[in-house]
Amino acid sequence: MAEVSLCAGRPARGPEKPERKRLRISVSCLFPASWHFSISPVGCPRILNTTLRQIIVIGLLAAAFFLLYYSVVKYGFRDKKLHRYLARVTDTEATDTNNPKLNYGIMVDCGSSGSRIFVYWWPRHNGNPHDLLDIKQMRDKNSKPVVMKIKPGISEFATSPEKVSDYIFPLLSFAAAHVPRAKHKETPLYILCTAGMRILPESQQKAILEDLLTDIPVHFDFLFSDSHAEVISGKQEEDDAVVEVHIPGSENKEAILRKRTVGILDMGGVSTQIAYEVPKTVSFASSQQEEVAKNLLAEFNLGCDAHQTEHVYRVYVATFLGFGGNAARQRYADSIFTTTVFRNRLLGKQIGMTSDTPYLDPCLPLDAEDEIQQNGQKMHLRGTGDFHLCRDVIQPFMNKTNETQTSLNGIYQPPVHFENSEFYGFSEFYYCTEDVLRMGGEYIAAKFIKAAKDYCATKWSVLRERLDHGLYASHADLHRLKYQCFKSAWMYEVFHNGFSFPVNYGNLKTALQVYDKEVQWTLGAILYRTRFLPLRDIQQENFRGNHSHWRSFSFVYNHYLFFACFFVVLLSILLYLLRLRRIHQRMLHSGPSPSLWIEEGLPPPKIPGAL
């Protein structure tokens, strides 16, 4: 409840000169006390008569702007996007070398035309195994990147490798001047040589690297080991590979560029599988081939929204029963038994029937012995360890045909873009290259052939001795040793002859795990079957985000609601008083001024002597 009263002086006393008129304002609210304002129209400055409304409006606008600015400054930093923006801004600031919690790293890029050094820094890891290091490029006191380049390229010292250290010392001195001295011993240094070094003979490459590995630790305290200086492959220099994709079901639309996927080769004991994305629409040699291809080309959407085609993939998947390592060996042994028995009957010989006249098997290690049993009969085998002959005798088991775009068993296989593809080989592809040959990882056909050939030609007694001395993988056993020669030839023929990968194909990696995780078909199955679950998480996250946003909005603005209401009420009162003042002024200009009393809820009193 509010009470407002205005007094314009006392009642007139006859001819007496009216005394100075005084405007009294009394406002009573539901506060502990009444607020009283006393304003004299005559004594007030003129400015109140002309621009008071403007001053009030300007003041209210200023107050509103202050509230908006204060809320943005105080609470705007809680927005994640703003945080990311600020993080990008801090990337351009000078690195705080006085902060002992920062770590540093040095990278030297030895290119064909010159060498450059880069210095990086990162804060301590937050402890979350799912997060990577937050690595940033170091900036000096002037906020400029800590980078230095020198010429010529390091390959110019091919004939004088002893001068390489002197050539690269200025770069390392430059980095040492920027990295805090106390951090030198824990700062890793990497020297990676690219195209210029790759064209040099391997002997010259080794001489240059050897000089660096010998001299640098003498003059600098950086963390620098033998593996920190190397000639990297061209692939390591590339960014994330992309591929042009024609989205299935949208052939009329333009192709999109998407990060390249990897193909999978998996050879088990019984079967062999191949799977890879077919990014472009394929053609078929015949209608029969097209019908077969329908069962081998799968189109599926890994996205949680069925209407979005961003994650739609066209994948070729084929499984070949009987082409696994053990099943293939069994087919090969059955063929040996059947063919040998037939020849013995035809020629009247006893090859393989006794240990003294064994069947000479090129796919067994030299002098290794084995037996084949069928229908109560036993056939004795003895290895000759001839890897190339083994390859020749097992080629017919690929069941290749002359029809185009076919693989094992004459099954349709869409073309593989060998220049822009990458494959991983699992199971027997890995065991065959790693367990005995100890060369798992990057597959190079020439090296694999040499290693397999040497293994096959090694005497069985020597192989067993090596096994006893632990020179092979811990899970390698006599079965692995005995059939390693055959499986090496089989893996090679399946990959190059069956699937038609060129001998110089350099993008196959044999692996048991990828990023420390075992890769199985079950992973793909659960990935596909749970593709819609993110919808639930997204909805929950949106709900939490909206709820959190509303709480933040309420927290930021609702506690200002009182102040906003106060200003609105104050403005209303002031405008109301100005209105009354204007009425009062008009009454003063209209003639003799009787006393005026205005009180809320009461009529004005009658003035004695008035007509």
Side-chain angles (χ1 to χ4, degrees), residues 29 43 80 121 126 139 166 169 178 191 194 224 257 271 284 294 340 466 492 510 512 515 524 549 570 592:
C29 301
K80 293 182 179 179
W121 68 272
N126 59 13
R139 293 181 176 268
D166 296 333
F169 276 1
H178 286 84
I191 301 178
T194 57
F224 186 60
L257 289 179
S271 64
F284 306 100
K294 290 181 180 179
T340 304
R466 291 176 180 176
Y492 183 90
T510 63
L512 184 63
Y515 299 122
H549 174 73
L570 179 61

Side-chain angles (χ1 to χ4, degrees), residues 111-127:
S112 58
S113 61
S115 298
R116 290 186 299 173
I117 192 167
F118 303 86
V119 182
Y120 300 93
W121 68 272
W122 58 89
R124 291 179 180 175
H125 194 264
N126 59 13

